[in-house]
Amino acid sequence: GHLTQKADVYSYGVLVLEILTGRKCMDTRLPSPILLQWAWSLYERNENINIVDPKLEVQGMSENEQGQVLRVVLIAFLCVQGLSSQRPSISMVLTMLTGDSEILVAPSAPALIDCEHISVASAATPQTLSAAASSSTSHATMSNSMCPR
């Protein structure tokens, strides 16, 4: 893969979602181990507030403050779009975060890990995932699957 500014934007989006949710990008101890998949499913069900870590106490925030938090969630989803051409530039992200620019486009499904050939069982550990990813018989690798396109 090639490192580009748009790859940095993708990474930024993942980092923002990790901070907002209090979850790691991949946590095999959870029923939905892949952060982007879990967060996107909540977004699709219009349960955006449930994406945010309860420790941030969004429920106790004013409507304006909740709107700001949900705006950041939306911007994070724009950053993790499947195609790099659909991701905003980092300068556009900054203008959206500061409110100097409106969010004019709704995000589509984010770029997700291709789990077709890598099963994530509830008993999976980082070591077994690493072994599966580096196996010569594997059809995919974690490093290739997790790279933004």
Side-chain angles (χ1 to χ4, degrees):
H2 300 288
L3 290 179
T4 65
Q5 289 179 352
K6 294 292 183 136
D8 288 344
V9 169
Y10 180 92
S11 298
Y12 177 78
V14 172
L15 177 65
V16 167
L17 285 172
E18 286 179 329
I19 292 168
L20 286 173
T21 64
R23 293 177 56 150
K24 295 179 183 177
C25 179
M26 176 91 133
D27 190 344
T28 58
R29 297 171 294 161
L30 297 173
S32 297
I34 302 168
L35 171 63
L36 292 179
Q37 217 166 23
W38 171 79
W40 184 255
S41 69
L42 290 173
Y43 175 80
E44 283 186 312
R45 294 193 311 256
N46 203 26
E47 297 177 22
N48 302 336
I49 205 76
N50 294 330
I51 294 171
V52 181
D53 187 342
K55 292 177 187 171
L56 295 177
E57 300 179 357
V58 176
Q59 305 295 356
M61 293 180 180
S62 71
E63 191 174 313
N64 184 41
E65 291 168 327
Q66 285 183 9
Q68 291 174 3
V69 170
L70 296 177
R71 179 182 180 89
V72 174
V73 169
L74 188 62
I75 293 167
F77 279 133
L78 289 172
C79 291
V80 295
Q81 294 298 282
L83 298 173
S84 62
S85 61
Q86 294 176 323
R87 295 178 208 142
S89 66
I90 198 67
S91 60
M92 180 54 76
V93 170
L94 180 61
T95 61
M96 288 187 288
L97 286 171
T98 59
D100 293 338
S101 175
E102 290 301 314
I103 301 171
L104 300 176
V105 61
S108 56
L112 299 173
I113 297 170
D114 179 8
C115 294
E116 184 177 323
H117 300 292
I118 299 173
S119 64
V120 180
S122 59
T125 65
Q127 291 78 17
T128 59
L129 287 173
S130 177
S134 62
S135 168
S136 61
T137 59
S138 176
H139 298 287
T141 64
M142 292 301 285
S143 60
N144 284 341
S145 299
M146 292 180 71
C147 288
R149 293 176 244 164

